[in-house]
Amino acid sequence: MKRAVLIFLLLLSVFSTGVAVRRYVFQMQQSSYLEKELPFTLESALEYRLTRILYETGSLPAYDPLVEAPAGINRRETYTVGAEYLYAALAHGLPGSWSLAFRVRWISLLWFCVGLVAMACWVRQLSGSWHGGAAAGFLYAVCAAAVVRSTGQELSHENFALPLLLIHLACSAWSRRSEGWHAWVATVLSAVFLAGAAATWDMIQFYLYLWMLGYAAASIRGSLYAEKPEFMRWLIHVWALVAAGTWVPYMRVHAGLTSPLMWLAAAVALVGMPGWSRMAVLNRKWIRMVLLVLIPGAAWWWVGDGYDAAYGHFGELLAAKIHFLNRKPLDPALLTFSQRILWTPALNSATWRLTLALFPVTLPLSLAAAFSLIRCPGACRKSEAFQLVFWFGTSLIAYVLFVRFHVFAAVFSAALIGCWLGASRRFGALYRWMVMAVVCAGIALEATATLRHAGRWGRSGVEYLELDKLLGWLGKGEADGRVVLANFGVSASVAAYAGCPIVLHPKFETEEARSRVEQYGECLFKGNEKTFRDWANQFGVEYYIHSRGEFSSQSPERQMRYFVNALNPPPDAAARLFEFEPAELRWFRPIWENRKYRVFRMVTEQDEQRSLQLGRQAYEWLCSGSLDRAEECATEALKLFLDNEQAQQVLLHAASLREQNVHFQSDE
C-alpha cells in the first residue's frame, strides 16, 4: 500500500510539474496581449469554432458552409477526428463564469499532461525502474521542445494525439511483460490507442512507418514468425488500423487503407502466414526482403494515386530539401508552388540556433544515452533498445529537415534518457549515482532554459491587437455574414470569430485548398485589379481583407510573392494598389483599416451590371426631364460602382440644369 501511494505521488508530481510549467509559459505568451484573451488563429481557430458549435448545439454539421465558400466542405472528410467532443463535454463541467476559450485551454493542457504520466509508465515498463520513468516524465514535462506547442495558446490535433500515442507505447510495453489475459488486454488497449492516435493526427504516420519498418526488419530475420505471441500482437494492431481506416471518413478519403504503410503490413503478414513461412524458398532473407519491397511497390504503382494526391506535396518538399541540401533557395523559380508554400514554419529546416533553444541539454544527453544503450542494453530488451535508438535517430534527422518533427524527437529523447538512468543500476552504485546526478542536472537546466525564455515560445508573426480590432469590426455586423476573401493566415479567425464565410483556409491536405491559395496569390501579385476581381467574383466575395506588409524587405521568402514566384510584381499588380494606392482602385472601395489590415468592399460583377443598368435608367430620366429621379438613380448607381461614368455624367448634367434654372428664375 505504501509503495502504491508513493508511485501515485510520483506520477502526480510529474503531472503537476507539466501543468505548472505550461501555465507559466502561457502567462508569458498572454502578457503581450493584456486586454483580452488571446484569440485562436489558423487551424486552431477552426477547431475552436467546431468546439463552440458542439458545446452550444450538442452536434456538428456534416457540411460546413462557412469554409471554402460558396460550396462549403464536408467536415468529416476534411478534418481528422479531433478533440472537439472531449473539449465540449468537459467544458460543461467547468465553472460557467469562465469563458469557453479559457475552459478549452485548460482542458487541452490537462489532457496533454496525461501524456506525461503515460511517458513515465512507458519508461518504467521498458527499464523496470521508477527512477527511469520519473526522469523521463519530468524531462518531458519541462523540455522546451515538448512545452512550446502544448501551453494551450493554440489548439492542435497533435496535442490530443500525442497522449494517445504515449498510452499506446505504455500498454505495448506492458503487454510484453505480462502473461495470460493481462497481456492480451494490454495488447488490445495498445491497438485501440494507436488507432485513435492515427485517426486524430496525420503525422502519427511518421511513427507508424518507423513501427512498421521494425516489424519488416524482424520478418526479414525470421524472428517475427518464430515468436507467435509477438506476431499476434502485431496483427491485432494492424487490424485496429484497418478498422480506423475503414470507419473514419477522413482516413478513407486520404487513402488510409491503400497507403504504402498498409501495403507493407500486408506484405509482412503474407510472408509470415503459416505454411508460407515454412516454405524453403521463404527461409532465405534476400527473398523476404525482395517480397517486402516488391509487394508494396507494385500495389503502390497500381492504386497509390489517392494517397499521393493527399500527401504527395510533402514528398515534393522532401525532394527539394534533399536537392538543395536543406537550404531554401533565394530564387523561388527553382521550386514548385507546393515546395515554396510548405517550406515555412513549422516545416522549415532546423538551424543550430533553434536546436540549441529547443534541445539545450536533452540532445547531448540523448546521444550519450543512445551510445550507452547500444553498448550495454541492460535496461530493456536488446530489440527494444535498438528500436528506441532507431526511433530517436530517425526523428532527429526528420527534425533537421522539418522542424515540426521536434515533437517526436522530444518524446524519444526523454524515453532514451529515462532508460539510460534505469540501466545504470546494473553497473554499480557509483555509475548509477553519476548518471542520476547528470540526468537531474539536465532536467533542472532544461526547466531553467524553458522558463527563462518563456516569452519567445508564442506564435510569431501575429499582431493580436490589430487582429482583434479587425474581428471586432467585422463582428459588429459590418460584413453581415457575407463572403470574405483574406489570406489563409487571417481567414480562419474571420470564420471563427466574425461568422463570415471564407474562401481560403489553412488546410493544405486537399487539392482544392492548395489550388485556391495558388490562384489567389497568382491573381494578387501577377494579375491586375480586374483579374483579381474576376477571380474573387466566382466565389461570391463581397469583402476583401488585405494584410499590409506584403512588400516588406524582411524575410521575403515567407511572403506570398515568394510563394507565387513574383518577388518583383508588375507595376499594375493588384497587390501594389492594395498596399500603396488604395484610392486608385476601381473595383475595390476601402471602408476600414488599421495599422495591419485594410478592408475593401468589392464591386462584384452583379454590382457592376446593376450599376450600369441604373446609369442607363438615370440617363433616360434625365432626357425626359425628371431631374429628381435621374439624380436618385445615378446616386444609387455610384453607390454600387463609383467609376460608373454615365451616372457621373448624369449627376453633372442634372446639377448644371438645376443651376441654369436657378439663374433663369433669378433673371426673371
Side-chain angles (χ1 to χ4, degrees):
M1 181 65 182
K2 182 179 179 181
R3 176 181 170 82
V5 171
L6 290 176
I7 291 173
F8 172 78
L9 292 176
L10 177 66
L11 296 178
L12 182 61
S13 299
V14 170
F15 180 85
S16 302
T17 300
V19 172
V21 170
R22 284 160 178 78
R23 282 304 297 177
Y24 176 79
V25 174
F26 176 74
Q27 292 302 324
M28 294 298 101
Q29 295 169 339
Q30 177 74 55
S31 65
S32 62
Y33 185 71
L34 296 175
E35 297 182 5
K36 299 179 181 178
E37 288 182 307
L38 282 172
F40 297 106
T41 61
L42 297 174
E43 290 187 65
S44 175
L46 296 178
E47 186 171 352
Y48 172 70
R49 173 176 168 267
L50 293 177
T51 301
R52 188 179 61 217
I53 293 173
L54 186 60
Y55 175 81
E56 294 173 350
T57 65
S59 62
L60 288 175
Y63 284 85
D64 190 344
L66 255 64
V67 180
E68 288 192 2
I73 59 170
N74 185 317
R75 180 187 57 81
R76 298 188 182 98
E77 295 179 355
T78 305
Y79 304 125
T80 56
V81 178
E84 297 86 9
Y85 291 92
L86 177 68
Y87 295 157
L90 295 181
H92 286 285
L94 295 178
S97 58
W98 296 358
S99 69
L100 180 61
F102 188 78
R103 283 178 276 173
V104 168
R105 282 194 164 103
W106 264 109
I107 295 168
S108 173
L109 170 62
L110 295 175
W111 170 248
F112 184 87
C113 290
V114 169
L116 307 180
V117 177
M119 166 69 79
C121 294
W122 173 38
V123 176
R124 160 65 178 85
Q125 291 292 333
L126 287 178
S127 65
S129 166
W130 276 113
H131 292 97
F138 279 115
L139 189 59
Y140 193 55
V142 302
C143 69
V147 173
V148 59
R149 291 174 62 89
S150 59
T151 63
Q153 180 189 11
E154 300 286 3
L155 304 177
S156 67
H157 295 289
E158 73 184 60
N159 291 338
F160 186 71
L162 286 173
L164 296 176
L165 177 64
L166 287 165
I167 296 172
H168 146 72
L169 290 167
C171 291
S172 179
W174 175 33
S175 70
R176 291 189 177 92
R177 284 156 179 79
S178 303
E179 296 180 354
W181 66 271
H182 293 92
W184 294 112
V185 168
T187 298
V188 171
L189 288 174
S190 173
V192 169
F193 281 108
L194 178 62
T200 53
W201 188 34
D202 292 83
M203 283 179 60
I204 291 295
Q205 292 181 70
F206 173 75
Y207 165 77
L208 290 176
Y209 279 105
L210 299 183
W211 175 77
M212 192 65 71
L213 286 173
Y215 281 101
S219 68
I220 292 173
R221 296 193 305 268
S223 59
L224 176 61
Y225 319 118
E227 300 180 17
K228 188 175 180 181
E230 184 64 25
F231 186 53
M232 292 303 298
R233 279 194 288 267
W234 174 77
L235 277 180
I236 291 173
H237 284 78
V238 171
W239 279 114
L241 292 173
V242 170
T246 304
W247 178 64
V248 178
Y250 182 88
M251 297 182 73
R252 286 202 309 267
V253 171
H254 289 71
L257 293 179
T258 56
S259 65
L261 174 77
M262 299 311 296
W263 288 116
L264 179 58
V268 172
L270 184 64
V271 173
M273 285 179 61
W276 284 70
S277 58
R278 292 193 293 270
M279 294 175 60
V281 67
L282 291 182
N283 286 332
R284 300 179 181 180
K285 292 183 179 180
W286 72 270
I287 293 291
R288 292 183 185 142
M289 186 181 298
V290 169
L291 289 175
L292 289 174
V293 173
L294 185 61
I295 293 174
W300 171 251
W301 177 79
W302 187 257
V303 292
D305 292 345
Y307 189 83
D308 185 63
Y311 301 108
H313 50 297
F314 289 106
E316 281 188 54
L317 180 59
L318 176 60
K321 293 205 170 192
I322 294 173
H323 182 266
F324 292 103
L325 301 178
N326 209 31
R327 298 186 64 180
K328 193 173 186 178
L330 297 177
D331 184 2
L334 299 175
L335 302 173
T336 66
F337 172 76
S338 293
Q339 292 167 343
R340 296 184 213 116
I341 200 166
L342 289 176
W343 202 329
T344 52
L347 297 179
N348 260 340
S349 304
T351 63
W352 281 111
R353 182 179 180 181
L354 180 62
T355 302
L356 291 175
L358 291 177
F359 303 98
V361 181
T362 52
L363 185 56
L365 285 182
S366 300
L367 296 175
F371 178 78
S372 300
L373 288 181
I374 290 296
R375 292 294 300 273
C376 305
C380 51
R381 298 177 182 180
K382 186 176 181 179
S383 61
E384 290 176 328
F386 276 97
Q387 184 181 61
L388 193 54
V389 172
F390 172 66
W391 288 351
F392 168 71
T394 309
S395 62
L396 188 60
I397 294 171
Y399 158 75
V400 172
L401 293 170
F402 309 102
V403 168
R404 184 75 177 275
F405 284 87
H406 73 272
V407 295
F408 292 106
V411 168
F412 300 133
S413 64
L416 263 179
I417 295 169
C419 286
W420 181 34
L421 178 58
S424 65
R425 72 185 189 277
R426 299 175 181 268
F427 303 101
L430 179 60
Y431 181 78
R432 179 185 182 186
W433 285 107
M434 288 177 58
V435 173
M436 184 173 292
V438 169
V439 171
C440 289
I443 294 173
L445 290 173
E446 279 285 344
T448 302
T450 301
L451 298 176
R452 181 187 301 153
H453 304 291
R456 67 177 293 185
W457 301 128
R459 182 183 290 280
S460 61
V462 180
E463 299 192 30
Y464 286 103
L465 290 174
E466 307 304 321
L467 177 62
D468 180 70
K469 293 176 182 177
L470 169 67
L471 297 176
W473 182 81
L474 291 171
K476 291 178 181 178
E478 298 295 336
D480 196 24
R482 297 176 181 177
V483 180
V484 172
L485 173 62
N487 66 49
F488 55 86
V490 180
S491 56
S493 299
V494 171
Y497 292 98
C500 297
I502 56 174
V503 177
L504 308 178
H505 78 297
K507 182 69 174 174
F508 289 146
E509 281 73 22
T510 65
E511 291 186 6
E512 173 65 19
R514 296 196 300 272
S515 175
R516 285 195 181 192
V517 171
E518 182 176 11
Q519 293 171 18
Y520 161 79
E522 293 272 352
C523 293
L524 183 62
F525 287 94
K526 294 183 176 180
N528 56 31
E529 182 194 357
K530 180 67 162 54
T531 303
F532 185 72
R533 194 289 301 263
D534 291 345
W535 177 82
N537 188 77
Q538 65 181 309
F539 304 110
V541 170
E542 295 190 49
Y543 288 88
Y544 169 60
I545 300 173
H546 180 73
S547 297
R548 304 166 76 171
E550 291 285 3
F551 291 84
S552 171
S553 59
Q554 297 181 350
S555 302
E557 72 280 359
R558 295 188 181 184
Q559 298 173 9
M560 180 61 75
R561 57 195 177 103
Y562 179 94
F563 300 159
V564 295
N565 189 22
L567 287 176
N568 188 25
D572 64 340
R576 290 190 181 277
L577 296 176
F578 290 127
E579 188 80 16
F580 304 114
E581 300 179 87
E584 301 299 319
L585 291 162
R586 184 176 183 184
W587 286 277
F588 292 86
R589 187 166 67 250
I591 56 176
W592 185 89
E593 69 176 275
N594 61 19
R595 187 174 58 85
K596 176 61 179 176
Y597 302 103
R598 185 175 281 152
V599 183
F600 296 88
R601 173 71 167 84
M602 191 181 91
V603 178
T604 67
E605 188 175 334
Q606 294 79 6
D607 290 338
E608 187 176 357
Q609 294 301 322
R610 176 60 178 162
S611 176
L612 295 176
Q613 181 181 358
L614 288 172
R616 289 191 293 270
Q617 182 66 48
Y619 178 73
E620 293 176 2
W621 287 120
L622 179 66
C623 293
S624 64
S626 301
L627 296 184
D628 291 338
R629 290 185 176 181
E631 288 177 326
E632 180 182 351
C633 208
T635 301
E636 290 298 319
L638 292 177
K639 287 181 180 180
L640 292 173
F641 184 36
L642 193 59
D643 280 4
N644 188 330
E645 295 181 0
Q646 188 173 38
Q648 294 173 355
Q649 292 298 322
V650 167
L651 287 179
L652 289 175
H653 282 294
S656 177
L657 289 174
R658 288 189 183 280
E659 185 177 355
Q660 291 177 11
N661 288 337
V662 169
H663 285 304
F664 180 75
Q665 293 175 0
S666 176
D667 292 339
E668 288 183 345

